Amino acid sequence: MKLVTTLYRQFQHLVHEVAKFGLVGLLGLVVDLPIYNWLVFNNPLVLADSGEGMLHHKPLTAKLISTTVATVVTYFGNRYWTWRHRERSGLHREYVLFFVLNGIGLLIAAGCLAFSRYVLDLHTWLSDNIAANFIGLGLGTLFRFWSYRKFVFKEELELDEAEHAPAPDSPAALDDSTGDLPAVR
């Protein structure tokens, strides 16, 4: 038991980040899944194949749309909750980099969907959701967690610094020259 406690203390911060990232990702899935299934199968509830949606023959386009909407939601969840303790390097830089890396995650999910649809010739709501939203999203999520920590929300602030930093929307937090949030050092 002491070994488990010791390991937890060593990785406590990472465990908390993973848990928060997972919850934000779940919120993203709650946004992504119904949009995709409505566009492709005319059924946002993901209960069964109920026909053909407006993008039934363009599942990759539907995935691009649903993931883009979910990306906007997850950016704010990750920036202001998961990695709020990490240094801010400018809203514009973070947002662009977040979208670029999310685009790579999207390519992973779309690649799994394309393989299922065009190589394995599977066209059901179940095969699409397994390929894109289970396998593709799972692999994409591993990539996103690693890349967001490494490239977007890079440096960790000291815990005291993060707790005493001005709130993101307070006037003290805005950089007058750019309108962006300043880098907290």
Side-chain angles (χ1 to χ4, degrees), residues 2-174:
K2 184 174 171 101
L3 176 64
V4 172
T5 306
T6 304
L7 282 173
Y8 177 76
R9 284 190 185 132
Q10 273 187 314
F11 295 103
Q12 178 179 4
H13 193 67
L14 181 62
V15 168
H16 287 225
E17 274 188 357
V18 169
K20 288 177 179 181
F21 179 78
L23 287 172
V24 170
L26 219 61
L27 177 61
L29 183 64
V30 166
V31 170
D32 185 342
L33 210 57
I35 293 171
Y36 175 80
N37 282 285
W38 172 66
L39 290 171
V40 177
F41 301 107
N42 200 28
N43 182 357
L45 298 178
V46 197
L47 298 176
D49 185 356
S50 60
E52 294 186 5
M54 63 181 97
L55 293 175
H56 185 74
H57 299 293
K58 295 185 177 190
L60 299 179
T61 302
K63 191 66 188 158
L64 172 71
I65 292 168
S66 66
T67 300
T68 300
V69 174
T71 297
V72 172
V73 171
T74 58
Y75 171 78
F76 289 104
N78 282 315
R79 167 33 66 220
Y80 295 108
W81 188 49
T82 306
W83 285 298
R84 72 173 178 246
H85 62 281
R86 289 180 172 255
E87 183 175 346
R88 299 182 192 290
S89 58
L91 185 61
H92 179 73
R93 179 204 163 275
E94 284 180 1
Y95 202 66
V96 168
L97 198 51
F98 188 87
F99 261 87
V100 167
L101 295 172
N102 222 10
I104 295 169
L106 167 63
L107 289 175
I108 293 169
C112 293
L113 177 59
F115 183 78
S116 171
R117 274 277 179 133
Y118 305 119
V119 175
L120 300 178
D121 200 29
L122 301 172
H123 298 271
T124 68
W125 69 273
L126 184 60
S127 62
D128 273 14
N129 281 288
I130 288 173
N133 298 316
F134 182 71
I135 297 170
L137 186 66
L139 294 172
T141 297
L142 293 174
F143 169 77
R144 285 180 183 101
F145 183 77
W146 170 80
S147 64
Y148 295 168
R149 281 186 106 235
K150 180 131 178 93
F151 301 112
V152 182
F153 310 116
K154 297 188 333 183
E155 300 297 323
E156 288 195 39
L157 297 172
E158 293 298 321
L159 216 45
D160 287 341
E161 242 183 280
E163 290 171 356
H164 296 34
D169 5 3
S170 75
L174 296 177

